Amino acid sequence: MSEYGILALAPPLLAIGLAMYTRQVLVSLFAGVWIGALMVVGGNPISATALSIDWLVEVVREPFNTRFLVLILFMGAGAAFIYRSGGVIALQNWIGHRVNTARDSQVLTWLIGIFIFFDSYTSTIVTGNATRDLSEENHSSREMHAYVLDSTTSPVTTFGPVSNWIGYQVSMIIVGFEAARVSASDLGLTPFGLFLQSIPWNVYCLLAFFMVGFIAITQRFYGPMLDAEWRARSEKRTIREDSTPLSDVSSEVGEPSEENPTLVNFFAPILALLVVGLGAMWWLGGGYQPDVDVATAFQETDVALGLLYGAFAFMAVGLFGSIGYRTMTLEEASETMLDGFKTMMIAAAIIVLAWGIGHAAGEVGTADYIADLLVGSGVPGSFLPILIFVAAAFVAFTTGTSWGTMAILTPLAIPLGYDLGGASLLPVLLGVLFGGAILGDHCSPISDTTVMSSIFAGSDHIDHVNTQIPFALTAAGVTVLVLLLYGFGITTPLVLLPLAFVMTAVAVVALNKWDARRKGLPEVMPTVERLEAASNSRVERTVTNGSYGLVETVPIAAVVIIAGYLGVVFFFATFGW
């Protein structure tokens, strides 16, 4: 147990509470770091201030973090080149007639997110850049864009089929085997095989991913997202007045060039990011060696360095394309690069302070305190999955790191589950642990993946967190109900998963109807054009429900492709081990 007892929760909870209440993220995060330092130095405020600064310097000097900060700057510059060179204008000219509603742009973002399944950072960066301006053009709120990014990319990378997340999760399972003093031969199952069996039990991630598509296709919103989408459609303001977007290319960089806009300047930088980033991660993981397979290469790679190389290629190709197609001069290109760096300043500051909170939480033993409470809980084996799920969510929420949560709880969950329920309980525990870690990230303003989603959607960070939490808690609530049914004896995912999807759809519709009626807003969010038509015909705008065709190209294509993708995932989960 942490020597600070329950006070070990103070640094992250103070930072999160202040950020949500005051909406001043930077001040709130530093307050959390400072309180942690104050506890460590025994109450001396001057020493606490000095130690807080030392901690921030320490986290910035870590190789992974340093590379990540430079990566963020390169990404800002690359995005600026795509925008300023007219690449976005070319994309809108090419695809605008196919994606012409907020619903289409939201569904497209969801669809693109599944194709970049090898890393959540890369997926957020690429998907966010590829669809942000289409979302803006079609009056989809930036909060919704950030939600689609956040609740698509992280869940998808947890079940793959190939990703650095999977490599990390398998490595944690190996650590758990060692902690339980069991081997693959004892269980009749390899660590990777155990991971595959856990996929159907990663209920939260499956439901979070499903909810994104269901909400986008049906256009049924609730909570703060309902207000955000109504603002975007009725007032044509995709971001709240007086908000602070973490990145806003359109306002920071200036107007895009209309001289020779070409799709090359849009797709070439993104393709360079993917090819160089993937290739670098494969190479750095030893993939060029004959005895190293792809999965192992991605497990052993240096993600930050690989993505840094990709981000540099993203920026460089954007630079050369802008000059080569004569959309800007060398001087204008240099200014665009600097402007792109500037768009990431607030985001970089928040990320550094979020790392600082994580460091402070480690120093005072936040995660250790929660883990020790978990071990001493005395919960029966059949109800242990609920406890693991809640504990993982709380650890991730307070520390801001899903990977750190997995590292802390997996070596505890495997021995505990093996002792209480045997080998058959392990896939369930691992699935809910991985899902709970993502849930905590989705609700935490100090999570790096949550910050990344705000950055590449151009959203105010606290607005993103506030609008995502009701959706995340809906999926979490259904997950808890499923785990309660498991505890009472329904132990097959063939029954529980379909039931979970149905309960989620019913919950979304019910919450949407209740909140829309309470606020006097449409249940089905209409398009801007429908609202304008209703206004011209003197129909009351607040009761004008949207009307969307059941058979439309973008939603149908998305549903078919994603159904096929999930079919492949479940095939590997069933037969791949």
Side-chain angles (χ1 to χ4, degrees):
M1 189 71 72
S2 167
E3 64 178 287
Y4 300 100
I6 195 171
L7 290 177
L9 301 175
L13 290 185
L14 174 67
I16 292 167
L18 279 176
M20 303 293 281
Y21 179 72
T22 66
R23 310 184 77 89
Q24 300 301 314
V25 182
L26 296 176
V27 175
S28 301
L29 291 180
F30 185 79
V33 177
W34 187 81
I35 286 296
L38 188 69
M39 293 166 60
V40 170
V41 300
N44 186 317
I46 296 176
S47 298
T49 303
L51 183 59
S52 299
I53 295 171
D54 287 343
W55 282 352
L56 295 178
V57 172
E58 186 175 340
V59 297
V60 170
R61 291 177 62 185
E62 291 182 12
F64 180 97
N65 295 349
T66 304
R67 291 166 182 163
F68 188 79
L69 288 174
V70 179
L71 178 157
I72 287 290
L73 295 178
F74 286 166
M75 290 305 307
F81 281 123
I82 287 178
Y83 182 82
R84 185 80 184 278
S85 67
V88 170
I89 292 177
L91 180 69
Q92 290 169 347
N93 292 339
W94 177 58
I95 204 173
H97 66 287
R98 298 179 179 90
V99 180
N100 50 26
T101 66
R103 182 176 83 153
D104 286 347
S105 62
Q106 292 162 8
V107 173
L108 180 66
T109 304
W110 181 54
L111 178 60
I112 292 175
I114 73 163
F115 286 105
I116 310 171
F117 49 72
F118 52 83
D119 177 72
S120 62
Y121 288 163
T122 308
S123 184
T124 303
I125 292 166
V126 173
T127 307
N129 276 314
T131 58
R132 179 164 62 180
D133 289 286
L134 282 172
S135 296
E136 190 84 13
E137 181 76 14
N138 290 316
H139 307 291
S140 174
S141 69
R142 296 192 190 183
E143 293 95 326
M144 183 60 185
H145 194 209
Y147 162 67
V148 176
L149 289 177
D150 208 354
S151 289
T152 298
T153 56
S154 292
V156 164
T157 48
T158 60
F159 43 78
V162 177
S163 74
N164 60 315
W165 282 65
I166 292 176
Y168 181 76
Q169 289 167 163
V170 171
S171 71
M172 289 300 100
I173 294 173
I174 293 171
V175 173
F177 277 17
E178 295 171 352
R181 301 182 188 278
V182 297
S183 64
S185 58
D186 295 330
L187 299 175
L189 197 63
T190 65
F192 184 67
L194 183 56
F195 162 75
L196 290 176
Q197 287 193 0
S198 77
I199 290 176
W201 294 105
N202 193 342
V203 180
Y204 172 78
C205 284
L206 291 169
L207 294 183
F209 178 68
F210 166 75
M211 278 186 65
V212 172
F214 185 79
I215 290 171
I217 290 172
T218 63
Q219 290 292 283
R220 290 185 176 272
F221 306 97
Y222 56 92
M225 191 69 81
L226 176 62
D227 302 309
E229 282 294 290
W230 177 248
R231 181 202 66 228
R233 311 295 173 85
S234 64
E235 301 176 23
K236 297 183 180 180
R237 288 193 294 113
T238 59
I239 193 165
R240 179 179 55 82
E241 191 175 355
D242 299 327
S243 63
T244 305
L246 290 199
S247 172
D248 195 350
V249 175
S250 60
S251 63
E252 296 283 351
V253 175
E255 293 299 318
S257 171
E258 296 185 5
E259 295 182 15
N260 193 27
T262 171
L263 285 172
V264 172
N265 279 341
F266 182 87
F267 285 112
I270 293 175
L271 184 63
L273 170 64
L274 286 173
V275 172
V276 175
L278 264 180
M281 285 192 285
W282 174 79
W283 181 271
L284 292 169
Y288 58 90
Q289 299 175 12
D291 58 339
V292 177
D293 58 29
V294 173
T296 303
F298 277 90
Q299 178 179 334
E300 299 296 329
T301 194
D302 185 331
V303 175
L305 185 57
L307 289 179
L308 177 60
Y309 293 152
F312 179 79
F314 179 64
M315 178 184 68
V317 171
L319 169 66
F320 292 129
S322 299
I323 296 174
Y325 281 94
R326 298 182 179 178
T327 61
M328 61 182 75
T329 65
L330 179 60
E331 181 180 357
E332 290 171 333
S334 299
E335 292 175 356
T336 299
M337 183 185 300
L338 292 176
D339 288 338
F341 290 161
K342 292 175 186 176
T343 64
M344 294 298 174
M345 287 297 102
I346 295 176
I350 289 177
I351 287 174
V352 169
L353 286 168
W355 290 334
I357 283 286
H359 187 86
E363 291 293 321
V364 300
T366 302
D368 293 336
Y369 175 78
I370 299 169
D372 287 340
L373 286 178
L374 167 67
V375 172
S377 63
V379 172
S382 60
F383 290 98
L384 185 60
I386 293 181
L387 187 62
I388 292 288
F389 178 71
V390 173
F394 193 57
V395 172
F397 177 74
T398 54
T399 60
T401 167
S402 52
W403 280 29
T405 299
M406 295 172 192
I408 292 163
L409 292 183
T410 306
L412 292 173
I414 289 180
L416 195 58
Y418 189 67
D419 289 342
L420 291 178
S424 63
L425 185 59
L426 297 185
V428 185
L429 290 184
L430 290 171
V432 299
L433 193 162
F434 297 152
I438 300 299
L439 166 62
D441 261 12
H442 281 167
C443 296
S444 177
I446 62 174
S447 161
D448 55 356
T449 52
T450 305
V451 174
M452 289 281 287
S453 298
S454 298
I455 293 172
F456 291 100
S459 172
D460 179 282
H461 184 49
I462 299 302
D463 286 348
H464 165 44
V465 174
N466 283 338
T467 51
Q468 179 165 254
I469 283 177
F471 295 162
L473 292 182
T474 301
V478 175
T479 301
V480 169
L481 290 176
V482 166
L483 296 180
L484 280 172
L485 293 174
Y486 175 87
F488 285 115
I490 304 176
T491 58
T492 171
L494 295 177
V495 173
L496 292 175
L497 269 183
L499 181 61
F501 288 126
V502 171
M503 287 193 294
T504 301
V506 170
V508 168
V509 173
L511 289 168
N512 159 258
K513 286 179 174 292
W514 172 77
D515 200 33
R517 289 174 184 173
R518 182 175 68 91
K519 295 174 179 176
L521 295 177
E523 291 179 12
V524 178
M525 190 60 60
T527 63
V528 170
E529 291 75 17
R530 185 174 178 85
L531 279 173
E532 290 176 343
S535 178
N536 292 335
S537 62
R538 297 183 181 180
V539 176
E540 186 66 32
R541 297 178 77 184
T542 56
V543 295
T544 304
N545 277 309
S547 177
Y548 299 89
L550 295 177
V551 182
E552 293 185 359
T553 303
V554 174
I556 290 295
V559 169
V560 170
I561 292 171
I562 285 171
Y565 164 74
L566 291 177
V568 171
V569 169
F570 279 101
F571 176 83
F572 278 108
T574 305
F575 301 107
W577 54 277

